[in-house]
Amino acid sequence: MGSLIDFKLFAPRNQKASLIGSFSDWQETPMEKNVDGYFYTQVNLADGIYQYKFRVQSQSPNFSPDEWVDVIDPYATDVDEQQKVGLVQIKNGKRIVDSYSWQYDDIPLPENNELVIYEMHIADFTGGEVDREKRGQYLDAIEKLDYLQELGINAVELMPVNEYPGDYSWGYKVRHFFATESSYGSTADLKRLIDECHSRGIRVFMDGIYNHTDEECPLMLIDRNYWYYEYMHYPEDPDNYWGPEFNYDNYDEKLDVKPAWQYVGDVVRFWVQEYHIDGIRFDAVRQLANFDFLHWLAQQAKKNTVKKPFYNIAEHIPDTNKVTAPEGPLDACWHESFHYFIVPHVCGEKFELDHLKQVLDPRQQGYKTGTNAINYISTHDRERLFRELGDRGIFDQAAFTRAKLAAVLLMTAVGIPMLWMGEEFGEHKRKSEKVTQPKKIAWPLLENPQNRDLFDYYKKLIALRKHNLALQSDNIEFFHEDTQAKLLSYLRWDNQGSQVVVVVNFADDYLNDYQIPNFPKAENWQDWFTNTPVEVSEDALITDIQPYTAKIFITA
């Protein structure tokens, strides 16, 4: 007994195609081409898991005209790259991805303005030099979720988890867009990770690679110039060419379809519906350079979610407000200028008030709201802060002091804070240059008192960021500036009466009995770090400030 299962392949400019698979002892099953550009066939299959692929007369210029090539289904939801086949699972007479049953879809999740994001690479998040197990899989990440919950983050941004060539990379050259990276575990394992995040009130964003693909992506083998630009899209920017680029301008008049739009739109809908993701970080938006397409794609993502918040984030280097709402296609942009200006200030290389104020208040750069800017000190693309400090001869306690200063700026600026995994306890490895060798974060560092102290510092700051509504608002006022002392004071507040004052010393000098004039009015102020009351007399506060540190005052 079995059921008729449909197999189809969209290849409108190809002449012939056939299906081969384990169910037919790898003998060809001819496929019929319809006027809609699809090749179709049906196979009677009992419940089970089968291997399959298509054989098609390629129209790609790197093959001889109409040369027969074997390709994995571009829509395969599971693949075996070693065998060069797709996998199809039949249960109760229907195709399924897996049998995972979602448990926590009803758990409320934080809104975008409440977020503290944690960027994670699955392979490098677990394991390490002293770990006897290789780890680095979805299930290993689940074991660390209680740690992330203790830290206080409420969103995880997963670096690409689509199937990529080989068993280790950062994943930015996707080969199979509907399949998950098999070296990380099964599709059900990924769903369980997402579900477990949701059970803890943690949203999950995926890294979406929609500018380019791997050279052996099935679409490349079927008909390169139907889905891709024939030539490099950005010839004036060869250093940022990452692979064959989707041609979002190509329009098939005969079928009334934009092929690249259709395929990537299907990818986004699939991931939102099948994996219950809560947002997408769009890679290489500057190179993609098609705001009409991005606007449409962002809407596709939001149309296919249940009633919960969704977040569409651009990686556009250099960052720009033009890519963000209300005029732009996406909700937010990685705020690269925050990293670019904050790190030199923390390292003591400069003190430029205008630049500081612009990145602490991204509205000065044209961003409409705080949710439009994702602030960070480091990411997978940028060296870790401890590496930046070490390169400048700043080590040991001095480095931890500067790291705490950076943490305060990150958590109290207007915008959404994001951490690169391990940043919260002082990971200092140099970032991978060729992204072909694992760079697992060093969890044993947490056994060191200074590293644990930094973790606790981040933990406390994240709690303040999440629970004090002043830090989730768009309100900021720079009320005291001292260029000679290299000091900046700013106020954050909300409409319900919460106020937070941040005083930052960017100098090597200890400031004794420093007077801060024009201190905001409130019935009672307290030093947030020491939890002690402070007195403001005649609109001024007198305090001591250590070099390269910040003080936070809140209304009691």
Side-chain angles (χ1 to χ4, degrees), residues 111-129:
E111 296 293 334
N112 293 343
N113 65 298
E114 301 172 320
L115 295 176
V116 179
I117 304 172
Y118 193 87
E119 190 191 15
M120 176 195 301
H121 182 231
I122 290 293
D124 288 345
F125 181 57
T126 53
E129 306 93 305

Side-chain angles (χ1 to χ4, degrees), residues 65 74 120 127 143 167 169 213 273 361 417 447 449 530 551:
M120 176 195 301
E143 294 182 13
D167 286 338
S169 85
T213 72
Q273 294 172 349
D361 180 10
E447 299 171 9
T530 62
K551 286 201 165 187

Side-chain angles (χ1 to χ4, degrees), residues 114-118 147-155 407-408 410-412 417-419 423-424 454-468 471-472 528-529 552:
E114 301 172 320
L115 295 176
V116 179
I117 304 172
Y118 193 87
Y147 163 85
L148 292 180
Q149 190 172 27
E150 180 189 355
L151 175 62
I153 61 94
N154 53 16
V408 170
L410 179 65
M411 292 301 161
T412 62
M418 182 177 76
L419 285 70
E423 182 177 347
E424 71 279 7
L454 180 60
F455 169 84
D456 290 336
Y457 197 85
Y458 261 102
K459 176 180 171 181
K460 190 172 181 180
L461 281 170
I462 291 171
L464 177 67
R465 170 65 174 72
K466 287 167 55 181
H467 298 127
N468 194 305
L471 297 180
Q472 297 175 24
W528 180 71
F529 285 114
I552 297 177

Side-chain angles (χ1 to χ4, degrees), residues 220-291:
M220 282 285 293
L221 308 180
I222 295 167
D223 187 352
R224 174 192 171 122
N225 293 342
Y226 191 65
W227 281 280
Y228 300 85
Y229 286 103
E230 185 173 0
Y231 303 104
M232 190 187 300
H233 185 203
Y234 253 71
E236 72 275 18
D237 191 15
D239 290 340
N240 288 309
Y241 176 76
W242 311 113
E245 296 177 318
F246 282 118
N247 183 354
Y248 293 112
D249 297 319
N250 184 35
Y251 172 62
D252 186 333
E253 293 185 5
K254 183 178 178 181
L255 296 178
D256 187 26
V257 64
K258 292 182 176 180
W261 285 49
Q262 174 178 282
Y263 182 74
V264 175
D266 289 346
V267 169
V268 167
R269 282 189 293 272
F270 171 79
W271 277 88
V272 171
Q273 294 172 349
E274 187 69 30
Y275 288 95
H276 298 204
I277 60 171
D278 311 293
I280 299 173
R281 180 261 196 191
F282 293 78
D283 182 67
V285 165
R286 175 173 172 266
Q287 285 72 33
L288 194 154
N290 190 316
F291 280 16

